[in-house]
């Protein structure tokens, strides 16, 4: 018996209403583990390369990993995969909360959603009962209301779904679960909306088995000990959440400010985790099976935003709605965060779009009339909150911004492309790459475009969280390109693996758990023998399969592995990286060579064969 | 005073690790619907662990029509052979801390197992043993 997995998946055709229950394939498990591995393999095998991302032929995959719904630390993850409407390439995201484990308790590792329902529907799963039901009453409702209505109908149910942004096909609408958890950068919510699917409600009562119980307890105790001793997972994240990074990142000159003009925000302290703890923090929480506990539950008690309550805002959200928009009002950021959650807007991209519009307004490229009558200066938090809703409902300028920053710049013209902060159409994130060169490389080559988490290498290059097992030691210099390709490649491996196995990246983000510990947990739960090398190799296999999808099927070339104009041509105006641009070409060349990719960025045949991806080799050079 | 597991709801983070630990160490599988401790997580920062209070005058035992809930060394235990799964104890427990098993055949509750894994694995010291 293979432990950890539920062993079955659902294949749902929304066009016909047909639901099939299928057994999980052993080879699928052994070679691709779960999460992003399952997603990449299913998309490779089943997605027509030229599929319209918002057409019936796109496939939306909701999946888990073998650690999901177990005691493995942070074993609460679910993942979503699709062809992205924002980028036209590989799309993937990871969510926490409670939905993923509940899906497994219902007996399913994965749900594949195909086609397009003729009418709005939701999917209801309760163990062996799977129903596609009319969603007339839910359609048009925000996500909070959607959760309330489904919970009232089915006691103890866990809900994943979309808000109005997804229904309105906003290209960066995300999936939401459990009210406040989000996933699916690049428009998973729009894909779900295009399928006329509002929500998935699930409750389950089945067992998840463990192959080697005694061995697992040992692996678990060892991993927990490391988590409770490592400064990132024992102190920073539990004490101040992800926003513990705000002050440090600004001091490093790596906290993007005013649409990435600078990496130093003069008012960082006012929007920091420390300030949050003293003002709007109500309670510390954790996702399912999480012993890191980074979630903040917050409530604004007074002033114009009184009554706003939500989980978060997280580090990325604080930067996106805060520094990047020149806003130092934490309560206004909390408002934007709550509304993004309610409306189903992904906060990183939404903040990037608003910061982009603010810079165009200040540069005189957009008039007040064109900005829905808003004085869209950096720092105007009332305008930011108004524009956020206009994006979700596609009103005026919001309709243009809802296309994503790459397409919005094309629509606006007037030289605005220069201010569009994205890679391959996915908006950039809360790390200033001139101050952490590795992060420039990471963003440029990641599978889903401007990715902030695969890897978040500044944990090592800025904060010196190293790893003996990975060979990352000492105090690296973040503003030189040397050795950064190696750092990025290594850290990509471990974060890719935690995006496959059902755990949260925060167990490896700051190199807390080592590959050998991940291997030990995986081996004892599943009964499939894995070494640290197998962890790295399976992650490399999945990473390269994602790359093969992008290059062979979706037409990505080396020219797409680039960064916005600003980082390559404008020097950082202040902070430790003052006078620097990103030296991308040197790092990229080294990275391609380490990965075994040719000058066009396509994985070489020998690399593909070495990773056991023979079916990819067959497509090479066709 | 009886020994019992006591929960501090202010410290509970809603991770449900106690449920996983309970089902894993007592049933050998992960399944919160087998657990003898259950956390109710709302979306308003309220996480409420429910676990047997080992009441002195236990309404569950008093209500049980077949006297299947018996005191053993200060701990209330369910005699599975006697229990008919009628669920009356579940209805009267003021702490919502007794449950029917998966198949509805008998009641389950915290009987203070050895090692108390729910407490051991709680990541935020929200559970403790009172005696």
């Amino acid at each position: 018996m293979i432990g950890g997995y539920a062993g079955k998946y659902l294949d749902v055709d929304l066009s016909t209403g047909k639901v099939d229950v299928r057994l999980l394939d052993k080879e699928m498990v052994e070679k691709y583990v779960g999460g992003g591995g399952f997603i990449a393999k299913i998309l490779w095998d089943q997605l027509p390369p030229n599929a319209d991302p918002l057409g019936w032929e796109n496939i939306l995959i909701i999946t888990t990993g073998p650690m999901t719904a177990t005691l493995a630390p942070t074993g609460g993850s679910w993942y979503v995969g699709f062809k992205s409407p924002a980028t036209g390439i590989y799309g993937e995201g990871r969510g926490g909360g409670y939905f993923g484990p509940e899906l497994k308790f219902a007996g399913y590792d994965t749900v594949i959603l195909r086609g397009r329902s003729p009418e709005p529907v939701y999917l209801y799963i309760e163990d062996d009962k799977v129903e596609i039901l009319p969603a007339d009453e839910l359609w048009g409702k925000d996500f909070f209301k959607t959760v309330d209505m489904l919970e009232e109908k089915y006691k103890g149910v866990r809900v994943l779904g979309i808000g109005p942004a997804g229904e309105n096909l906003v290209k960066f609408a995300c999936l939401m679960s459990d009210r406040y958890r989000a996933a699916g950068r690049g428009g998973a919510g729009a894909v779900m909306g295009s399928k006329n699917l509002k929500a998935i409600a699930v409750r389950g009562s089945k067992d998840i088995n463990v192959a080697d119980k005694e061995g697992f307890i040992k692996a678990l105790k060892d991993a927990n000990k490391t988590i409770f001793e490592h400064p990132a997972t024992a102190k920073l994240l539990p004490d101040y959440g992800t926003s513990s990074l705000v002050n440090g990142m600004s001091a490093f000159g790596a906290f993007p400010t005013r649409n990435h003009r600078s990496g130093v925000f003069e008012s960082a302290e006012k929007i920091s985790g420390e300030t949050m703890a003293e003002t709007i923090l109500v309670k510390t929480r954790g996702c399912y099976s999480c012993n890191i506990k980074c979630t903040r539950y917050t409530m604004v008690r007074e002033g114009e935003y009184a009554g706003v309550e939500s989980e978060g805002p997280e580090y990325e959200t604080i930067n996106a709605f805060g520094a990047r928009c020149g806003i130092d009002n934490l309560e206004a950021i909390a408002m934007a965060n709550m509304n993004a959650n309610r409306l189903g807007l992904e906060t990183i991209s939404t903040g990037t779009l608003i910061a982009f519009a603010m810079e165009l307004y200040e540069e005189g490229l957009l008039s007040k009339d064109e900005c829905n009558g808003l004085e869209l200066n950096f720092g105007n938090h009332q305008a930011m909150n108004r524009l956020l809703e206009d994006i979700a409902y596609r009103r005026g300028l919001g309709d243009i911004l809802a296309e994503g920053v790459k397409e919005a710049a094309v629509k606006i013209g007037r030289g605005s492309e220069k201010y569009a902060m994205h890679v391959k159409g996915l908006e950039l994130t809360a790390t200033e790459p001139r101050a952490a060169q590795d992060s420039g490389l990471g963003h440029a080559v990641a599978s889903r475009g401007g990715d902030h988490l695969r890897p978040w290498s500044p944990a090592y290059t800025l904060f010196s969280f190293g790893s003996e097992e990975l060979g990352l030691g000492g105090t690296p210099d973040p503003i030189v390109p040397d050795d950064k390709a190696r750092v990025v490649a290594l850290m990509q491996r471990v974060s890719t693996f935690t995006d496959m196995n059902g755990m949260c990246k925060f167990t490896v983000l700051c190199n807390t758990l080592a590959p050998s510990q991940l291997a030990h947990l995986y081996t004892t739960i599943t009964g499939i023998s894995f070494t640290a090398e197998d962890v790295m190799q399976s992650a490399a296999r999945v990473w390269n399969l994602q790359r093969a999808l992008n290059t062979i099927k979706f037409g990505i070339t080396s020219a797409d592995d680039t960064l916005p104009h600003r980082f390559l041509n404008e020097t950082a105006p202040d902070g430790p990286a003052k006078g620097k641009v990103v030296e991308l070409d040197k790092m990229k060349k080294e990275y391609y060579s380490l990965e075994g990719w040719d000058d066009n960025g396509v994985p070489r045949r020998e690399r593909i064969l070495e990773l056991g991806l023979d079916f990819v080799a067959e497509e090479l050079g066709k | 005073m009886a020994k019992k597991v006591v929960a501090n709801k202010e410290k509970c983070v809603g991770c449900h690790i106690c449920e996983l630990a309970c089902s894993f160490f007592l049933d050998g599988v992960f399944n919160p619907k087998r657990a003898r401790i259950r956390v109710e997580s709302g979306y308003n920062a309220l996480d409420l662990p429910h676990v047997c209070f080992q009441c002195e005058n236990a309404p569950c035992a008093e209500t049980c029509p077949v006297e299947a809930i018996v005191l053993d060394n200060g701990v209330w235990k369910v005699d599975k052979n006697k229990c008919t799964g009628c669920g009356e104890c579940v209805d009267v427990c003021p702490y919502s801390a007794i449950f029917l098993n998966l198949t509805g055949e008998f009641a389950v509750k915290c009987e203070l197992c050895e090692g108390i894994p729910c407490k051991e694995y709680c990541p935020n010291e929200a559970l403790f043993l009172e005696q």
Side-chain angles (χ1 to χ4, degrees), chain A residues 98 204 207-208 283 285 289, chain B residues 12 14-15 30-31 33-34 47:
Chain A
Y98 303 125
D207 298 335
I208 298 296
K283 197 183 172 202
R285 300 195 74 238
S289 195
Chain B
C12 177
C15 67
F30 294 115
N31 188 345
K33 293 195 171 64
R34 291 180 183 270
D47 295 294

Side-chain angles (χ1 to χ4, degrees), chain A residues 69-72 98 102 105 147 151 156-159 178-180 203-210 213 216-217 220-221 224 228 282-291 293 297 309 525, chain B residues 8-25 27-34 39-49 102 117 120-125:
Chain A
T70 75
L71 265 183
Y98 303 125
E102 199 67 29
F105 292 133
V147 173
E151 282 188 338
V157 81
R158 301 298 186 188
V159 179
D178 307 288
R179 216 171 166 113
Y180 306 119
R203 52 184 175 184
S205 65
K206 299 193 180 183
D207 298 335
I208 298 296
N209 293 293
V210 179
K213 295 188 187 78
F216 173 65
I217 294 169
L220 176 64
K221 286 193 165 163
N224 282 349
F228 291 137
V282 175
K283 197 183 172 202
T284 294
R285 300 195 74 238
C287 292
Y288 200 85
S289 195
C290 174
N291 55 10
K293 311 158 288 188
Y297 192 87
E309 59 179 307
I525 284 204
Chain B
N8 177 350
K9 69 176 191 314
E10 306 300 324
K11 293 206 80 178
C12 177
V13 296
C15 67
H16 298 252
I17 283 176
C18 52
E19 299 172 357
L20 288 172
C22 180
S23 67
F24 178 65
F25 284 92
D27 305 297
V29 294
F30 294 115
N31 188 345
K33 293 195 171 64
R34 291 180 183 270
V39 179
E40 198 181 330
S41 288
Y43 295 114
N44 45 5
L46 183 75
D47 295 294
L48 200 56
L102 275 177
E120 186 189 344
Y121 284 88
C122 173
N124 209 38
E125 295 171 339

Side-chain angles (χ1 to χ4, degrees), chain A residues 470-505:
Chain A
L470 292 181
L472 302 173
T475 314
D477 183 350
I479 57 174
V480 299
D482 310 51
D483 196 39
K484 299 303 184 293
R486 183 183 73 96
V487 171
V488 166
L490 283 169
M491 291 183 75
Q492 265 167 357
R493 293 288 176 266
V494 283
S495 48
T496 298
F497 190 76
T498 50
D499 274 345
M500 294 151 61
N501 77 348
M503 288 163 66
C504 170
K505 277 187 286 291

Side-chain angles (χ1 to χ4, degrees), chain A residues 157-176:
Chain A
V157 81
R158 301 298 186 188
V159 179
L160 171 149
I162 57 171
E167 295 176 17
N168 296 332
L169 309 182
V170 174
K171 298 276 175 70
F172 45 94
C174 56
L175 298 192
M176 297 296 303

